[in-house]
Amino acid sequence: MLALVGRCGTLSPSLRATKGTTKNVVLPGIKELTSVVGKTKDSLARGLRLAHTDIKLPDFSDYRRPEVIDANKSSKDSSDGRRAFSYLLTGATTVVGVYAAKTVVTQFVSSMSASADVLALSKIEIKLGDIPEGKNMTFKWRGKPLFVRHRTEKEIAAEEAVNLGELRDPQHDKDRVLNPRWVIVLGVCTHLGCVPIANAGDYGGYYCPCHGSHYDASGRIRKGPAPLNLEVPFYEFPDDDTVIVG
């Protein structure tokens, strides 16, 4: 770009000269000169120098619509048709652009999604027949401990009878389980992320020895610094002996 500006700068004196005038000098053979150059005698007598008048402008008639070629004819009669074509071309271009943008965004988002092997690990299938009544088993799910507890009838009745007004994070036992016999929660303390101990604590549920948080058999916080109940992940029972978490 700087080189182009430099080249144009060297031509500036010549360009300025074409806009100037010459002295009104009558030369011999002026008629022959005017006939050759194509200028009139009056033009030369006035001293006007008309430069670049011999340059032919390009003709774009082949690219123009027949309705607007004639400069003396009004173009209002064909304005509706030309406007409709412009709208159609603009609409078609917009549709193609939106579709192309959608394809690019879809490909970009899909490239960031989890792969098939990662999705396979997002769910875990647990056989409930392997967990004795009154016991808790720990599984690894998405890098976190998962507690699956097989409650007894006594534990179910005790947790359903708890007064919600006594709870720090009020939540009824029926809202935390799909089947009263099974409690499925993440084994991560809601205080600082420690792993509680199952079948321990003042309420016979879970106990976090790090800072003394006590949870009941429904995973609800009852005592200690933890602010919330243990998290309940999404799960479903495809049959009476199997649960799928995730």
Side-chain angles (χ1 to χ4, degrees), residues 200-207 212-216 222-223:
D202 295 347
Y203 298 88
Y206 306 93
Y207 171 67
S213 296
H214 297 258
Y215 301 86
D216 58 20
R222 303 295 295 275
K223 181 180 178 182

PDB file of all heavy atoms in Angstrom, residues 200-207 212-216 222-223:
ATOM      1  N   ALA A 200     -23.790 -44.404  60.165  1.00  0.00           N
ATOM      2  CA  ALA A 200     -23.095 -43.791  61.295  1.00  0.00           C
ATOM      3  C   ALA A 200     -23.751 -42.463  61.612  1.00  0.00           C
ATOM      4  O   ALA A 200     -24.644 -41.984  60.904  1.00  0.00           O
ATOM      5  CB  ALA A 200     -21.614 -43.606  60.961  1.00  0.00           C
ATOM      6  N   GLY A 201     -23.334 -41.856  62.708  1.00  0.00           N
ATOM      7  CA  GLY A 201     -23.869 -40.572  63.112  1.00  0.00           C
ATOM      8  C   GLY A 201     -24.990 -40.687  64.115  1.00  0.00           C
ATOM      9  O   GLY A 201     -25.449 -41.779  64.458  1.00  0.00           O
ATOM     10  N   ASP A 202     -25.457 -39.550  64.611  1.00  0.00           N
ATOM     11  CA  ASP A 202     -26.493 -39.507  65.640  1.00  0.00           C
ATOM     12  C   ASP A 202     -27.862 -39.938  65.123  1.00  0.00           C
ATOM     13  O   ASP A 202     -28.757 -40.238  65.925  1.00  0.00           O
ATOM     14  CB  ASP A 202     -26.601 -38.100  66.225  1.00  0.00           C
ATOM     15  CG  ASP A 202     -25.335 -37.687  66.965  1.00  0.00           C
ATOM     16  OD1 ASP A 202     -24.492 -38.570  67.234  1.00  0.00           O
ATOM     17  OD2 ASP A 202     -25.179 -36.473  67.247  1.00  0.00           O
ATOM     18  N   TYR A 203     -28.045 -39.959  63.802  1.00  0.00           N
ATOM     19  CA  TYR A 203     -29.358 -40.273  63.255  1.00  0.00           C
ATOM     20  C   TYR A 203     -29.345 -41.558  62.424  1.00  0.00           C
ATOM     21  O   TYR A 203     -30.299 -41.834  61.696  1.00  0.00           O
ATOM     22  CB  TYR A 203     -29.869 -39.095  62.417  1.00  0.00           C
ATOM     23  CG  TYR A 203     -30.044 -37.843  63.238  1.00  0.00           C
ATOM     24  CD1 TYR A 203     -28.985 -36.953  63.417  1.00  0.00           C
ATOM     25  CD2 TYR A 203     -31.247 -37.564  63.867  1.00  0.00           C
ATOM     26  CE1 TYR A 203     -29.135 -35.811  64.184  1.00  0.00           C
ATOM     27  CE2 TYR A 203     -31.405 -36.415  64.632  1.00  0.00           C
ATOM     28  CZ  TYR A 203     -30.348 -35.550  64.800  1.00  0.00           C
ATOM     29  OH  TYR A 203     -30.509 -34.413  65.571  1.00  0.00           O
ATOM     30  N   GLY A 204     -28.267 -42.308  62.534  1.00  0.00           N
ATOM     31  CA  GLY A 204     -28.195 -43.613  61.893  1.00  0.00           C
ATOM     32  C   GLY A 204     -28.150 -43.589  60.385  1.00  0.00           C
ATOM     33  O   GLY A 204     -28.374 -44.620  59.735  1.00  0.00           O
ATOM     34  N   GLY A 205     -27.834 -42.441  59.815  1.00  0.00           N
ATOM     35  CA  GLY A 205     -27.770 -42.354  58.358  1.00  0.00           C
ATOM     36  C   GLY A 205     -26.343 -42.247  57.854  1.00  0.00           C
ATOM     37  O   GLY A 205     -25.674 -43.247  57.599  1.00  0.00           O
ATOM     38  N   TYR A 206     -25.838 -41.021  57.745  1.00  0.00           N
ATOM     39  CA  TYR A 206     -24.492 -40.783  57.243  1.00  0.00           C
ATOM     40  C   TYR A 206     -23.820 -39.749  58.146  1.00  0.00           C
ATOM     41  O   TYR A 206     -24.470 -38.813  58.633  1.00  0.00           O
ATOM     42  CB  TYR A 206     -24.522 -40.288  55.794  1.00  0.00           C
ATOM     43  CG  TYR A 206     -25.286 -41.203  54.864  1.00  0.00           C
ATOM     44  CD1 TYR A 206     -26.634 -40.982  54.603  1.00  0.00           C
ATOM     45  CD2 TYR A 206     -24.660 -42.298  54.278  1.00  0.00           C
ATOM     46  CE1 TYR A 206     -27.338 -41.820  53.763  1.00  0.00           C
ATOM     47  CE2 TYR A 206     -25.374 -43.130  53.434  1.00  0.00           C
ATOM     48  CZ  TYR A 206     -26.708 -42.895  53.181  1.00  0.00           C
ATOM     49  OH  TYR A 206     -27.405 -43.744  52.374  1.00  0.00           O
ATOM     50  N   TYR A 207     -22.514 -39.903  58.316  1.00  0.00           N
ATOM     51  CA  TYR A 207     -21.764 -39.004  59.194  1.00  0.00           C
ATOM     52  C   TYR A 207     -20.473 -38.598  58.509  1.00  0.00           C
ATOM     53  O   TYR A 207     -19.718 -39.441  58.004  1.00  0.00           O
ATOM     54  CB  TYR A 207     -21.459 -39.692  60.523  1.00  0.00           C
ATOM     55  CG  TYR A 207     -20.504 -38.917  61.398  1.00  0.00           C
ATOM     56  CD1 TYR A 207     -20.877 -37.699  61.953  1.00  0.00           C
ATOM     57  CD2 TYR A 207     -19.214 -39.410  61.660  1.00  0.00           C
ATOM     58  CE1 TYR A 207     -19.995 -36.982  62.752  1.00  0.00           C
ATOM     59  CE2 TYR A 207     -18.333 -38.705  62.460  1.00  0.00           C
ATOM     60  CZ  TYR A 207     -18.732 -37.482  63.003  1.00  0.00           C
ATOM     61  OH  TYR A 207     -17.852 -36.778  63.787  1.00  0.00           O
ATOM     62  N   GLY A 212     -18.071 -32.922  61.221  1.00  0.00           N
ATOM     63  CA  GLY A 212     -19.152 -33.319  62.112  1.00  0.00           C
ATOM     64  C   GLY A 212     -20.548 -33.074  61.599  1.00  0.00           C
ATOM     65  O   GLY A 212     -21.424 -32.646  62.361  1.00  0.00           O
ATOM     66  N   SER A 213     -20.794 -33.337  60.306  1.00  0.00           N
ATOM     67  CA  SER A 213     -22.144 -33.202  59.760  1.00  0.00           C
ATOM     68  C   SER A 213     -22.863 -34.550  59.873  1.00  0.00           C
ATOM     69  O   SER A 213     -22.325 -35.583  59.458  1.00  0.00           O
ATOM     70  CB  SER A 213     -22.096 -32.756  58.300  1.00  0.00           C
ATOM     71  OG  SER A 213     -21.532 -31.457  58.194  1.00  0.00           O
ATOM     72  N   HIS A 214     -24.092 -34.531  60.409  1.00  0.00           N
ATOM     73  CA  HIS A 214     -24.880 -35.745  60.608  1.00  0.00           C
ATOM     74  C   HIS A 214     -26.086 -35.719  59.657  1.00  0.00           C
ATOM     75  O   HIS A 214     -26.826 -34.729  59.604  1.00  0.00           O
ATOM     76  CB  HIS A 214     -25.376 -35.838  62.057  1.00  0.00           C
ATOM     77  CG  HIS A 214     -24.270 -35.941  63.056  1.00  0.00           C
ATOM     78  ND1 HIS A 214     -23.900 -37.118  63.666  1.00  0.00           N
ATOM     79  CD2 HIS A 214     -23.432 -34.985  63.572  1.00  0.00           C
ATOM     80  CE1 HIS A 214     -22.918 -36.902  64.514  1.00  0.00           C
ATOM     81  NE2 HIS A 214     -22.611 -35.608  64.474  1.00  0.00           N
ATOM     82  N   TYR A 215     -26.275 -36.796  58.921  1.00  0.00           N
ATOM     83  CA  TYR A 215     -27.411 -36.947  58.004  1.00  0.00           C
ATOM     84  C   TYR A 215     -28.250 -38.137  58.469  1.00  0.00           C
ATOM     85  O   TYR A 215     -27.728 -39.111  59.024  1.00  0.00           O
ATOM     86  CB  TYR A 215     -26.941 -37.183  56.574  1.00  0.00           C
ATOM     87  CG  TYR A 215     -26.071 -36.079  56.006  1.00  0.00           C
ATOM     88  CD1 TYR A 215     -24.691 -36.081  56.217  1.00  0.00           C
ATOM     89  CD2 TYR A 215     -26.614 -35.047  55.259  1.00  0.00           C
ATOM     90  CE1 TYR A 215     -23.890 -35.082  55.696  1.00  0.00           C
ATOM     91  CE2 TYR A 215     -25.815 -34.048  54.734  1.00  0.00           C
ATOM     92  CZ  TYR A 215     -24.452 -34.064  54.954  1.00  0.00           C
ATOM     93  OH  TYR A 215     -23.657 -33.076  54.439  1.00  0.00           O
ATOM     94  N   ASP A 216     -29.560 -38.077  58.192  1.00  0.00           N
ATOM     95  CA  ASP A 216     -30.418 -39.194  58.566  1.00  0.00           C
ATOM     96  C   ASP A 216     -30.445 -40.232  57.450  1.00  0.00           C
ATOM     97  O   ASP A 216     -29.716 -40.113  56.448  1.00  0.00           O
ATOM     98  CB  ASP A 216     -31.828 -38.708  58.922  1.00  0.00           C
ATOM     99  CG  ASP A 216     -32.485 -37.950  57.770  1.00  0.00           C
ATOM    100  OD1 ASP A 216     -32.054 -38.115  56.619  1.00  0.00           O
ATOM    101  OD2 ASP A 216     -33.442 -37.190  58.033  1.00  0.00           O
ATOM    102  N   ARG A 222     -29.119 -33.047  59.487  1.00  0.00           N
ATOM    103  CA  ARG A 222     -29.811 -32.895  60.776  1.00  0.00           C
ATOM    104  C   ARG A 222     -28.954 -32.170  61.808  1.00  0.00           C
ATOM    105  O   ARG A 222     -29.494 -31.574  62.745  1.00  0.00           O
ATOM    106  CB  ARG A 222     -30.183 -34.288  61.317  1.00  0.00           C
ATOM    107  CG  ARG A 222     -31.055 -35.109  60.367  1.00  0.00           C
ATOM    108  CD  ARG A 222     -32.408 -34.476  60.164  1.00  0.00           C
ATOM    109  NE  ARG A 222     -33.178 -34.463  61.398  1.00  0.00           N
ATOM    110  CZ  ARG A 222     -33.930 -35.490  61.825  1.00  0.00           C
ATOM    111  NH1 ARG A 222     -33.986 -36.622  61.117  1.00  0.00           N
ATOM    112  NH2 ARG A 222     -34.609 -35.403  62.951  1.00  0.00           N
ATOM    113  N   LYS A 223     -27.637 -32.224  61.632  1.00  0.00           N
ATOM    114  CA  LYS A 223     -26.757 -31.621  62.638  1.00  0.00           C
ATOM    115  C   LYS A 223     -25.382 -31.379  62.014  1.00  0.00           C
ATOM    116  O   LYS A 223     -24.898 -32.187  61.233  1.00  0.00           O
ATOM    117  CB  LYS A 223     -26.651 -32.556  63.841  1.00  0.00           C
ATOM    118  CG  LYS A 223     -25.797 -32.051  64.972  1.00  0.00           C
ATOM    119  CD  LYS A 223     -25.767 -33.070  66.099  1.00  0.00           C
ATOM    120  CE  LYS A 223     -24.877 -32.634  67.251  1.00  0.00           C
ATOM    121  NZ  LYS A 223     -24.822 -33.661  68.328  1.00  0.00           N
TER     122      LYS A 223
END
